[in-house]
Amino acid sequence: MKKPNFFIIGAPKCSTTSWAAWLSQHPEIFFSTYKEPHFFNFDEPNYHFVSSLADYESLFSGANDAHKAIGEGSTFYLFSEVAVQNILSYCPSAKFIICVRNPVEMAYALHGEMVWTGEENVFDFKKAWELNSERMKGLSVTKWAKAPSHLAYGESCKLGKQVQRVFDTVNSENIHVIVLDDIKKNPRDEYRKVLKFLNVSDDGFNDFTPRNTSKTLRSPMLMESMRIIGAVKNRLGIKKGFGVANSLMMHSRSGGPRKPLSDDMRIILEDHFKDDVRLLSNILGRDLMHWVRP
């Protein structure tokens, strides 16, 4: 049975969904049947899509001899303190793809994503940001949050710190870092670099339509109501749907693009992430400080 040999390990809201879609169409690449199994981050058990190694490996049962690269993409492996080491124990020759972006933009986008999925119940980003220290202690979160520390955006978006941990653990030749800015400029060139890293041929693919773009809730109150109804159903053991519940849920989520980050919050975030961006710049050998300069 074929096993995974490359892993897109993060970060969330940094184009990982797009890369999973682009790479999965390549004839020499097999991508897991579920994009984010989150099997190896043992320190975050609530994020596991599968709980056993057998179930995890079944996600790759469709891989055959034509597939030279077999992978999956779990965006919080990068944030986890144990996932990369666990992957190496499973596959010592594993290759790691890391996607990064300006953490100021990432933090705002991740908050929007968490609101969308229902894990974040503080809909105002400024108020959510002010809860950073409490959330690192597991406080000030709803019971829907799978991992409270993910909602501490000031910490979960420190990509320099997280990338440094990977470079301290993995041979640099087995790490490929993709900067979102470069994808926007020339996605085809970045795609070719990834194919070379994975030792597969260039298939000529050229449709780099972004996936999982930003979105907003139309009705946070309706979304919260649907979650409560779902919890009551589970407690009562009711498996049958309530008819219009699903359509109401989708209605609550069908908002348009999110408003831009305010200038005041941008200044706060730029100051917060300045040192971490400097660290990431040093790791990658390129100046990214324009991300946090007014």
Side-chain angles (χ1 to χ4, degrees), residues 65-77:
D65 291 340
H67 298 119
K68 298 179 180 179
I70 301 165
E72 57 120 314
S74 298
T75 56
F76 283 106
Y77 281 166

Side-chain angles (χ1 to χ4, degrees), residues 97-274:
I97 295 175
I98 305 173
C99 302
V100 300
R101 71 185 294 187
N102 184 340
V104 174
E105 302 293 348
M106 176 190 170
Y108 189 51
L110 183 58
H111 172 262
E113 182 75 12
M114 290 301 189
V115 168
W116 174 264
T117 62
E119 292 188 56
E120 174 64 87
N121 67 332
V122 180
F123 304 119
D124 180 80
F125 178 64
K126 183 177 185 296
K127 293 179 180 178
W129 177 262
E130 292 170 349
L131 295 173
N132 268 310
S133 58
E134 292 185 43
R135 288 175 162 182
M136 285 304 297
K137 301 174 184 176
L139 304 175
S140 300
V141 295
T142 173
K143 64 181 179 180
W144 312 110
K146 296 178 183 178
S149 58
H150 293 177
L151 304 179
Y153 306 107
E155 188 67 22
S156 61
C157 297
K158 284 186 176 179
L159 298 180
K161 175 182 177 181
Q162 297 168 36
V163 171
Q164 181 68 70
R165 183 166 54 232
V166 180
F167 274 84
D168 288 343
T169 309
V170 182
N171 291 331
S172 59
E173 62 185 17
N174 287 334
I175 305 172
H176 183 75
V177 180
I178 305 169
V179 179
L180 184 60
D181 299 11
D182 298 335
I183 303 172
K184 292 179 178 179
K185 291 178 182 177
N186 193 335
R188 174 74 179 134
D189 189 47
E190 295 307 306
Y191 179 73
R192 283 197 299 265
K193 291 177 184 177
V194 172
L195 298 186
K196 183 178 180 180
F197 174 68
L198 296 176
N199 292 320
V200 297
S201 61
D202 185 354
D203 62 343
F205 180 72
N206 201 31
D207 178 16
F208 299 102
T209 304
R211 308 296 204 280
N212 195 27
T213 54
S214 64
K215 46 206 175 280
T216 57
L217 289 181
R218 173 180 291 170
S219 175
M221 186 176 295
L222 181 57
M223 177 70 170
E224 182 69 18
S225 299
M226 292 300 99
R227 285 204 303 261
I228 293 173
I229 292 173
V232 172
K233 285 174 56 183
N234 290 336
R235 189 162 59 245
L236 297 177
I238 300 174
K239 298 184 181 300
K240 187 176 181 181
F242 287 169
V244 298
N246 287 340
S247 61
L248 287 175
M249 181 71 81
M250 291 310 299
H251 177 78
S252 73
R253 284 178 161 177
S254 57
R258 204 175 190 200
K259 294 188 299 183
L261 182 65
S262 71
D263 291 341
D264 289 345
M265 280 305 299
R266 182 174 294 277
I267 292 172
I268 292 173
L269 268 64
E270 286 174 346
D271 184 64
H272 177 86
F273 288 116
K274 187 179 303 180

